[in-house]
Amino acid sequence: MTSADREGWSFATARVPAEFGAAIHPLTPGLQHAWNGDETLCGLVEDQIELYRHLFDGEDDSACPTCRQQAAAAPTRPCAQERLHDRVLATAAGPMREDLLDALRRGARIKLWINGPAVTLARHYARLDQIVEGGPAVVAALGVNGSVGLARVEHGPWQFIVVLPGHGPSRIARATADR
């Protein structure tokens, strides 16, 4: 990726719409509501509704008019690059961290960002055999007994491997990109 590939890209231009869960009130099964984690945007509480495993779609004809309006007015949220950037800021300063932060500021593609058992992520997703810089720190961060986050960020001929532990700073490695 070159800077020309993402001309005009910024965290501000890449913000994404707020997302809400979908909910249905049993007395009005044809009307879908937006769930914000505490109540629907039109004021129904959890014991009055059934929650669904998909997102509220304000464009759907079955959307509650009040929820539709509230969802459209909800503040946008940071894009994945901005969220990962903010997590990486707590990492110890160094050239690799600065390269990753710069790549994220320019809209580098996040090829993967998942959470799960560290051992499983190391085995199936970390691509430890492709690491050319920062391997020991990443291997150590993946050697824990518990869950971590793992992100792979593509930037030019490289891929950054980022381990995001539940507590403490992330660990970064540079690897050859998948081709």
Side-chain angles (χ1 to χ4, degrees):
M1 176 180 74
T2 65
S3 58
D5 294 333
R6 299 286 234 171
E7 183 110 3
W9 192 96
S10 70
F11 289 156
T13 62
R15 292 189 68 84
V16 295
E19 293 179 333
F20 301 94
I24 302 286
H25 188 284
L27 297 178
T28 55
L31 195 60
Q32 189 175 132
H33 299 275
W35 176 253
N36 71 9
D38 296 319
E39 62 183 10
T40 65
L41 298 183
C42 65
L44 299 172
V45 295
E46 189 169 5
D47 61 351
Q48 296 175 308
I49 57 168
E50 297 171 358
L51 295 172
Y52 286 82
R53 297 188 114 183
H54 64 268
L55 295 175
F56 171 77
D57 180 2
E59 301 296 317
D60 192 284
D61 290 339
S62 69
C64 163
T66 302
C67 288
R68 175 186 290 134
Q69 183 180 26
Q70 296 286 332
T76 57
R77 59 188 180 90
C79 64
Q81 286 88 346
E82 185 175 358
R83 292 191 316 268
L84 185 56
H85 177 278
D86 291 350
R87 295 278 309 267
V88 171
L89 281 174
T91 304
M96 198 166 17
R97 179 194 111 157
E98 298 312 313
D99 289 348
L100 173 57
L101 291 173
D102 182 57
L104 291 167
R105 284 185 206 109
R106 294 199 273 149
R109 180 173 176 241
I110 298 175
K111 186 168 185 166
L112 175 81
W113 189 352
I114 57 177
N115 294 296
V119 172
T120 302
L121 297 183
R123 185 178 319 123
H124 297 292
Y125 301 102
R127 308 278 168 86
L128 298 175
D129 60 326
Q130 293 176 254
I131 292 176
V132 296
E133 182 183 356
V138 164
V139 168
L142 289 168
V144 300
N145 186 17
S147 290
V148 297
L150 178 78
R152 291 197 331 247
V153 179
E154 291 185 341
H155 184 66
W158 301 107
Q159 192 171 139
F160 293 97
I161 310 297
V162 185
V163 178
L164 303 152
H167 302 288
S170 55
R171 300 289 184 244
I172 306 166
R174 191 183 318 262
T176 55
D178 295 334
R179 298 286 177 227

